[in-house]
Amino acid sequence: IAQYARSRGTALMNAMGSPENKKNSSIAAKAGKQKISDLLELQRQVQQLLSHLPHANEYCALKHVWEDVINPSNELEETNMVAEALAKYVDACLKDTKRQLGSSSSSPLDNNGNWAEAVISGVFCYLQAKDVFEAFYKQDLAKRLLWNRIVSMDVERHFVSLLKAECGAGYTSKMEGMFQDMDWSRETMSRYKQTQYQDTGFGSGDNSNSHKVEMDIQVLTTGYWPVYPQYPNLILPQSLVEPQNKFSEYYKSKYQGRRMTWQYALGHLVVRFKPKETP
């Protein structure tokens, strides 16, 4: 059984690092996620087989097998590829609405709802390049949080808690800080909008603001989030400069001494168009 697990698992990891995949990043990402899924399914099948054999756990230890499979040939590049593929697999799982809502799926790992535990106990705990996984996972977590792609915040926090249990509080402190920033940003925007409604006489029947830009701002703590490119020469249209300056004045008046830097690379814009009615 151990020999089968090693040969089958090694074949999966070798396919992940094939020359064809290395040439095309999109193909490599898709192939990597599939190989992680195949590896988890292999582990489930082997574990199910062992559960039917008496005293199997005493005579068939697979810890070293999975360590060798997940860290192929002790080559740094291939180990980093596994870490990146695992992070992308987790990102796909966390953005999968059907998986989070418990819908039917072709994979038993999805049906029993234990995919997160399977990832941690089956792959992550054996992975040597945990720092590489952390970097890719934080990038994907930031995109999900800032671009409103969170399917279930409870599942997001649960997965981070599993990482914390495996690696300690230091490993997940920045991830937990990202969650705190989002909660604090929602509270800050709620208070800011209340002051704006009061200042503009909201509810007085004045519709002059009906066509203005609605801006939602997220205040992030430097050090928690990944580093993003700066655009110091970017010229914003006046329709965005005005609400940006208003929020800056409000924030600086409430929290004196804090320095603000606008991260335009993280922003996104929704444009709604309503055509004129033709007679």
Side-chain angles (χ1 to χ4, degrees):
I1 294 175
Q3 184 177 358
Y4 169 77
R6 184 185 298 275
S7 61
R8 184 75 182 99
T10 301
L12 290 174
M13 295 300 101
N14 289 341
M16 184 186 301
S18 64
E20 292 78 7
N21 291 339
K22 292 181 179 179
K23 293 179 181 179
N24 191 313
S25 58
S26 61
I27 295 178
K30 184 176 181 179
K33 289 186 291 186
Q34 183 59 50
K35 296 308 177 184
I36 294 296
S37 178
D38 293 342
L39 178 61
L40 291 171
E41 178 62 18
L42 172 64
Q43 291 179 334
R44 186 195 68 81
Q45 293 175 354
V46 171
Q47 192 59 41
Q48 186 178 34
L49 176 60
L50 292 176
S51 66
H52 290 87
L53 300 177
H55 309 291
N57 292 329
E58 299 178 11
Y59 298 101
C60 185
L62 297 177
K63 179 176 182 292
H64 296 297
V65 172
W66 299 130
E67 287 178 345
D68 293 342
V69 167
I70 294 169
N71 304 286
S73 305
N74 292 324
E75 294 183 9
L76 181 60
E77 181 181 358
E78 293 189 6
T79 303
N80 290 349
M81 289 181 61
V82 175
E84 180 181 359
L86 180 61
K88 298 305 179 184
Y89 174 81
V90 172
D91 178 58
C93 291
L94 291 170
K95 291 191 295 187
D96 189 340
T97 304
K98 294 181 179 179
R99 189 189 300 263
Q100 303 302 342
L101 298 179
S103 301
S104 59
S105 172
S106 58
S107 172
L109 286 173
D110 299 339
N111 289 336
N112 61 24
N114 294 328
W115 69 267
E117 288 79 1
V119 166
I120 298 297
S121 62
V123 182
F124 180 78
C125 67
Y126 302 118
L127 183 67
Q128 294 178 358
K130 289 181 171 62
D131 56 336
V132 178
F133 171 86
E134 178 192 7
F136 282 105
Y137 178 80
K138 280 178 56 181
Q139 290 178 1
D140 293 331
L141 174 61
K143 292 178 181 179
R144 293 194 301 272
L145 289 171
L146 298 176
W147 296 351
N148 197 25
R149 293 179 180 175
I150 297 293
V151 175
S152 172
M153 186 60 75
D154 291 337
V155 176
E156 293 277 358
R157 293 181 183 273
H158 174 63
F159 188 82
V160 171
S161 70
L162 294 177
L163 294 175
K164 183 177 182 179
E166 181 66 29
C167 298
Y171 189 81
T172 58
S173 59
K174 293 182 179 180
M175 303 173 195
E176 293 172 326
M178 294 163 72
F179 291 136
Q180 295 171 4
D181 278 355
M182 298 305 296
D183 293 338
W184 193 82
S185 292
R186 281 191 290 270
E187 296 174 2
T188 301
M189 281 305 299
S190 177
R191 293 192 295 266
Y192 171 69
K193 289 180 179 179
Q194 289 178 1
T195 60
Q196 292 300 299
Y197 291 158
Q198 294 171 0
D199 294 342
T200 57
F202 180 77
S204 61
D206 182 9
N207 294 326
S208 60
N209 295 327
S210 59
H211 298 292
K212 289 190 175 181
V213 173
E214 296 180 7
M215 182 177 286
D216 187 67
I217 299 170
Q218 293 151 332
V219 183
L220 313 180
T221 303
T222 302
Y224 287 160
W225 301 78
V227 178
Y228 296 96
Q230 300 289 325
Y231 298 96
N233 299 323
L234 179 66
I235 301 177
L236 294 178
Q238 190 61 33
S239 58
L240 294 180
V241 171
E242 182 179 348
Q244 176 179 291
N245 290 339
K246 283 185 177 181
F247 181 81
S248 295
E249 294 173 1
Y250 166 81
Y251 188 82
K252 291 178 180 179
S253 65
K254 295 285 289 184
Y255 307 99
Q256 298 181 5
R258 295 188 181 182
R259 185 169 64 93
M260 294 181 62
T261 302
W262 292 92
Q263 297 284 350
Y264 299 117
L266 304 180
H268 65 280
L269 178 69
V270 178
V271 179
R272 296 184 177 91
F273 170 71
K274 185 177 180 180
K276 293 183 178 180
E277 295 182 0
T278 57

